[in-house]
PDB file of all heavy atoms in Angstrom:
ATOM      1  N   GLN A 294      17.861  40.046  -8.375  1.00 98.00           N
ATOM      2  CA  GLN A 294      19.234  39.687  -8.787  1.00 98.00           C
ATOM      3  C   GLN A 294      19.217  38.519  -9.774  1.00 98.00           C
ATOM      4  O   GLN A 294      20.002  38.485 -10.723  1.00 98.00           O
ATOM      5  CB  GLN A 294      20.064  39.330  -7.552  1.00 98.00           C
ATOM      6  CG  GLN A 294      20.397  40.561  -6.711  1.00 98.00           C
ATOM      7  CD  GLN A 294      21.097  40.163  -5.423  1.00 98.00           C
ATOM      8  OE1 GLN A 294      22.310  40.119  -5.342  1.00 98.00           O
ATOM      9  NE2 GLN A 294      20.310  39.888  -4.389  1.00 98.00           N
ATOM     10  N   ALA A 295      18.301  37.579  -9.560  1.00 97.00           N
ATOM     11  CA  ALA A 295      18.170  36.438 -10.503  1.00 97.00           C
ATOM     12  C   ALA A 295      17.779  36.938 -11.890  1.00 97.00           C
ATOM     13  O   ALA A 295      18.101  36.320 -12.908  1.00 97.00           O
ATOM     14  CB  ALA A 295      17.133  35.449  -9.980  1.00 97.00           C
ATOM     15  N   SER A 296      17.101  38.091 -11.940  1.00 98.00           N
ATOM     16  CA  SER A 296      16.728  38.699 -13.224  1.00 98.00           C
ATOM     17  C   SER A 296      17.858  39.519 -13.836  1.00 98.00           C
ATOM     18  O   SER A 296      17.681  40.152 -14.874  1.00 98.00           O
ATOM     19  CB  SER A 296      15.509  39.615 -13.029  1.00 98.00           C
ATOM     20  OG  SER A 296      14.450  38.907 -12.438  1.00 98.00           O
ATOM     21  N   GLY A 297      18.996  39.535 -13.156  1.00 97.00           N
ATOM     22  CA  GLY A 297      20.169  40.237 -13.672  1.00 97.00           C
ATOM     23  C   GLY A 297      20.120  41.738 -13.475  1.00 97.00           C
ATOM     24  O   GLY A 297      20.862  42.477 -14.134  1.00 97.00           O
ATOM     25  N   LEU A 298      19.266  42.206 -12.585  1.00 98.00           N
ATOM     26  CA  LEU A 298      19.121  43.649 -12.376  1.00 98.00           C
ATOM     27  C   LEU A 298      20.245  44.220 -11.495  1.00 98.00           C
ATOM     28  O   LEU A 298      20.733  43.532 -10.587  1.00 98.00           O
ATOM     29  CB  LEU A 298      17.785  43.963 -11.694  1.00 98.00           C
ATOM     30  CG  LEU A 298      16.542  43.961 -12.589  1.00 98.00           C
ATOM     31  CD1 LEU A 298      15.282  43.938 -11.750  1.00 98.00           C
ATOM     32  CD2 LEU A 298      16.526  45.179 -13.511  1.00 98.00           C
ATOM     33  N   LEU A 299      20.574  45.467 -11.727  1.00 98.00           N
ATOM     34  CA  LEU A 299      21.408  46.205 -10.787  1.00 98.00           C
ATOM     35  C   LEU A 299      20.515  46.474  -9.579  1.00 98.00           C
ATOM     36  O   LEU A 299      19.410  46.994  -9.717  1.00 98.00           O
ATOM     37  CB  LEU A 299      21.864  47.539 -11.402  1.00 98.00           C
ATOM     38  CG  LEU A 299      22.543  48.519 -10.448  1.00 98.00           C
ATOM     39  CD1 LEU A 299      23.853  47.961  -9.911  1.00 98.00           C
ATOM     40  CD2 LEU A 299      22.807  49.863 -11.129  1.00 98.00           C
ATOM     41  N   CYS A 300      20.986  46.095  -8.373  1.00 98.00           N
ATOM     42  CA  CYS A 300      20.174  46.242  -7.168  1.00 98.00           C
ATOM     43  C   CYS A 300      20.866  47.154  -6.154  1.00 98.00           C
ATOM     44  O   CYS A 300      22.040  46.952  -5.832  1.00 98.00           O
ATOM     45  CB  CYS A 300      19.930  44.877  -6.511  1.00 98.00           C
ATOM     46  SG  CYS A 300      18.942  43.779  -7.542  1.00 98.00           S
ATOM     47  N   ILE A 301      20.119  48.141  -5.684  1.00 98.00           N
ATOM     48  CA  ILE A 301      20.609  49.027  -4.628  1.00 98.00           C
ATOM     49  C   ILE A 301      19.671  48.806  -3.429  1.00 98.00           C
ATOM     50  O   ILE A 301      18.469  49.090  -3.485  1.00 98.00           O
ATOM     51  CB  ILE A 301      20.584  50.523  -5.042  1.00 98.00           C
ATOM     52  CG1 ILE A 301      21.197  50.713  -6.451  1.00 98.00           C
ATOM     53  CG2 ILE A 301      21.266  51.393  -4.003  1.00 98.00           C
ATOM     54  CD1 ILE A 301      22.691  50.560  -6.568  1.00 98.00           C
ATOM     55  N   LEU A 302      20.252  48.270  -2.352  1.00 98.00           N
ATOM     56  CA  LEU A 302      19.442  47.836  -1.210  1.00 98.00           C
ATOM     57  C   LEU A 302      19.832  48.569   0.063  1.00 98.00           C
ATOM     58  O   LEU A 302      20.977  48.951   0.246  1.00 98.00           O
ATOM     59  CB  LEU A 302      19.644  46.315  -0.975  1.00 98.00           C
ATOM     60  CG  LEU A 302      19.601  45.397  -2.197  1.00 98.00           C
ATOM     61  CD1 LEU A 302      19.995  43.983  -1.798  1.00 98.00           C
ATOM     62  CD2 LEU A 302      18.208  45.389  -2.833  1.00 98.00           C
ATOM     63  N   SER A 303      18.860  48.703   0.948  1.00 97.00           N
ATOM     64  CA  SER A 303      19.118  49.267   2.277  1.00 97.00           C
ATOM     65  C   SER A 303      20.075  48.341   3.033  1.00 97.00           C
ATOM     66  O   SER A 303      19.977  47.117   2.933  1.00 97.00           O
ATOM     67  CB  SER A 303      17.788  49.367   3.028  1.00 97.00           C
ATOM     68  OG  SER A 303      17.954  49.165   4.392  1.00 97.00           O
ATOM     69  N   ASP A 304      20.983  48.931   3.822  1.00 94.00           N
ATOM     70  CA  ASP A 304      21.903  48.070   4.592  1.00 94.00           C
ATOM     71  C   ASP A 304      21.274  47.577   5.887  1.00 94.00           C
ATOM     72  O   ASP A 304      21.946  46.997   6.731  1.00 94.00           O
ATOM     73  CB  ASP A 304      23.230  48.796   4.871  1.00 94.00           C
ATOM     74  CG  ASP A 304      23.080  50.029   5.736  1.00 94.00           C
ATOM     75  OD1 ASP A 304      21.942  50.323   6.150  1.00 94.00           O
ATOM     76  OD2 ASP A 304      24.112  50.688   6.003  1.00 94.00           O
ATOM     77  N   GLU A 305      19.939  47.797   6.028  1.00 91.00           N
ATOM     78  CA  GLU A 305      19.224  47.300   7.214  1.00 91.00           C
ATOM     79  C   GLU A 305      18.687  45.897   6.975  1.00 91.00           C
ATOM     80  O   GLU A 305      17.636  45.529   7.470  1.00 91.00           O
ATOM     81  CB  GLU A 305      18.047  48.250   7.552  1.00 91.00           C
ATOM     82  CG  GLU A 305      18.465  49.642   7.960  1.00 91.00           C
ATOM     83  CD  GLU A 305      19.092  49.733   9.343  1.00 91.00           C
ATOM     84  OE1 GLU A 305      18.818  48.855  10.184  1.00 91.00           O
ATOM     85  OE2 GLU A 305      19.890  50.661   9.559  1.00 91.00           O
TER      86      GLU A 305
END
Side-chain angles (χ1 to χ4, degrees):
Q294 288 174 92
S296 305
L298 281 166
L299 171 64
C300 295
I301 313 288
L302 314 173
S303 147
D304 64 1
E305 296 287 335

